[in-house]
C-alpha cells in the first residue's frame, strides 16, 4: 500500500528533502505544493529557492554528469524547477528596493541553459535593478542592441558549457568595436567559469552565484554613482 504524504504534518526540513526528491523526479505539481506549503509557514522565498530547488538541481547535475540521468529526465527536473521559481519570482522581486540601475542579461549563443541565469535575473530584480532578460542563445548583436536600446549599466552573460563560454570573448570584442566597452560593466557567470577566465576575456568580474552577482552589481553601481 502506498503511503499518503501529508505535507501539513511534515516538518519543514523534511519538506525540503522531499522537494529535492520531487525535483529529481520532475514532479512539477508536487514542487508547487511544497513551495506553497513552506511559504505558508513563513519560510523566506530565498531559503526555499536555495535549500529546496537549487540543492535539488545540484543532485540532478551530479547524476547527469555520472550518466545516471539523461537529457529527458533533466528536462523534466528543469521544468519542475521553473514551476517552483515562478511562484518565488514575484516574492523575490517584491522587496521595494530603490532603483539601482539597468542590467541586460542573457545566456550566450549556442547555449540553452537558463535556470541559473533566470535566478540571477530574479535576484537582481529583487535588489532593485531593472532587468532586460534576453533569454538563451543570445548573439553579440542582440546583446549590443539591447544595451543601446535600454542604456544599460551592466551586461550579465551566462554560459554553462565549456564550448559556449568562449563566446563571451566575442561579445566583449564586439562591445569594444562599438565603443561601448568603457560604458558598461560586464559580469559573467556559469558553472564552468572562474575568475581567471573572466580576467582573461577582460570581463569586469566573475560571479560564482546569484548572491555574488547581486553584491557585485551593487558594488559597481556604487562606484559609478560615486
Ligand atoms: Co546541461 N550540461 N546540457 N542541460 N546541464 C551541464 C551544464 C553539464 C555540466 C552536465 C554534466 O555533464 N555534469 C554539461 C556541461 C559539460 C561542460 O561543458 N563542461 C551539460 C551538457 C553536456 C549538456 C548538453 C550538451 C547535453 C547533450 O545534449 N548531450 C546539452 C547542451 C544544450 C545546449 O545548451 N546547447 C545540455 C542540455 C541540458 C538541458 C536542456 C537538459 C537542461 C537545461 C534546461 C534549462 O536550463 N532550461 C540541462 C541542465 C539542467 C544541466 C545541469 C544538470 C544543471 C544546470 C542548472 O540549471 N543548474 C548542468 C549540471 C551542472 O551545472 N552541475 C548541466 C542550477 C543553476 C541554479 O545553477 O546554472 O550553475 P547554474 O547557475 C548559478 C551560477 O553558475 C551562477 O549563478 C547561478 C545561480 O546561483 N550564474 C551566473 C549562472 N549564470 C550566471 C550569470 C551571471 C552571474 C552568475 O551573470 C552576471
Amino acid at each position: 500500500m502506498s503511503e499518503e504524504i501529508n505535507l501539513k504534518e511534515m516538518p519543514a526540513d523534511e519538506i525540503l528533502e522531499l522537494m529535492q526528491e520531487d525535483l529529481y523526479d520532475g514532479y512539477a505539481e508536487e514542487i508547487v505544493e511544497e513551495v506553497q506549503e513552506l511559504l505558508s509557514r513563513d519560510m523566506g522565498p530565498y531559503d526555499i529557492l536555495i535549500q529546496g530547488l537549487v540543492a535539488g538541481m545540484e543532485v540532478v547535475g551530479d547524476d547527469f554528469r555520472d550518466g545516471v540521468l539523461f537529457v529527458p529526465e533533466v528536462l523534466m527536473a528543469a521544468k519542475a524547477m521553473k514551476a517552483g521559481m515562478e511562484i518565488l519570482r514575484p516574492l523575490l522581486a517584491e522587496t521595494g528596493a530603490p532603483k539601482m540601475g539597468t542590467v541586460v542579461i542573457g545566456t550566450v549563443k549556442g547555449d540553452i541553459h537558463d535556470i541559473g541565469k533566470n535566478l540571477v535575473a530574479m535576484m537582481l530584480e529583487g535588489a532593485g535593478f531593472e532587468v532586460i532578460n534576453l533569454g538563451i542563445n543570445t548573439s553579440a548583436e542582440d546583446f549590443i542592441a539591447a544595451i543601446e536600446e535600454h542604456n544599460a549599466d551592466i551586461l550579465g552573460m551566462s554560459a554553462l558549457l565549456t564550448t559556449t563560454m568562449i563566446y563571451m570573448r566575442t561579445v566583449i570584442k564586439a562591445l569594444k568595436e562599438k565603443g561601448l566597452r568603457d560604458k558598461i560593466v560586464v559580469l559573467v557567470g556559469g558553472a564552468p567559469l572562474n575568475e581567471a577566465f573572466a580576467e582573461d576575456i577582460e570581463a569586469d568580474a566573475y560571479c560564482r552565484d546569484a548572491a555574488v552577482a547581486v553584491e557585485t552589481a551593487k558594488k559597481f553601481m556604487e562606484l559609478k554613482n560615486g
Side-chain angles (χ1 to χ4, degrees):
M1 207 172 72
S2 71
E3 226 179 289
E4 192 66 31
I5 292 175
N6 187 346
L7 286 184
K8 296 266 171 245
E9 285 173 6
M10 283 176 96
D13 56 343
E14 280 182 26
I15 299 182
L16 286 167
E17 269 175 42
L18 182 64
M19 274 179 81
Q20 295 182 25
E21 287 167 23
D22 285 340
L23 190 97
Y24 191 95
D25 292 330
Y27 294 159
E29 275 176 34
E30 283 77 356
I31 289 289
V32 166
E33 284 167 17
E34 287 145 13
V35 168
Q36 279 163 344
E37 177 58 30
L38 289 174
L39 285 172
S40 76
R41 297 184 195 193
D42 287 336
M43 186 165 186
Y46 184 69
D47 288 338
I48 300 173
L49 183 68
I50 301 299
Q51 294 172 36
L53 298 178
V54 173
M57 192 47 94
E58 270 169 25
V59 185
V60 171
D62 289 348
D63 278 4
F64 188 30
R65 178 197 59 217
D66 297 341
V68 178
L69 290 180
F70 297 95
V71 169
E73 287 119 324
V74 179
L75 268 177
M76 294 290 285
K79 216 172 137 201
M81 173 121 186
K82 283 187 176 178
M85 276 166 71
E86 271 315 301
I87 303 172
L88 298 175
R89 181 170 185 226
L91 302 170
L92 285 165
E94 199 176 71
T95 55
K99 171 109 186 341
M100 293 292 299
T102 301
V103 182
V104 162
I105 192 165
T107 302
V108 298
K109 194 171 169 179
D111 200 320
I112 62 167
H113 295 86
D114 65 355
I115 294 173
K117 182 261 302 164
N118 288 344
L119 194 57
V120 173
M122 254 160 61
M123 301 267 300
L124 284 168
E125 279 177 357
F129 286 90
E130 185 185 342
V131 178
I132 318 298
N133 189 340
L134 301 180
I136 55 172
N137 201 17
T138 312
S139 66
E141 295 75 27
D142 290 347
F143 277 124
I144 286 173
I147 289 167
E148 286 179 327
E149 183 186 344
H150 299 280
N151 195 17
D153 304 291
I154 297 176
L155 168 65
M157 288 190 279
S158 179
L160 266 284
L161 299 172
T162 43
T163 47
T164 57
M165 64 190 222
I166 46 180
Y167 189 73
M168 292 176 174
R169 192 192 297 280
T170 305
V171 178
I172 291 176
K173 196 165 156 254
L175 286 172
K176 282 186 191 158
E177 282 164 11
K178 277 267 176 185
L180 287 170
R181 180 64 191 94
D182 297 336
K183 301 191 181 115
I184 194 147
V185 171
V186 179
L187 306 182
V188 293
L193 277 69
N194 56 32
E195 292 199 11
F197 175 76
E199 206 175 306
D200 189 47
I201 62 168
E202 297 178 38
D204 292 296
Y206 158 68
C207 307
R208 188 181 64 239
D209 58 30
V212 171
V214 169
E215 264 170 45
T216 314
K218 279 184 175 170
K219 194 185 77 193
F220 276 106
M221 287 314 294
E222 276 160 23
L223 283 174
K224 185 173 178 180
N225 298 330

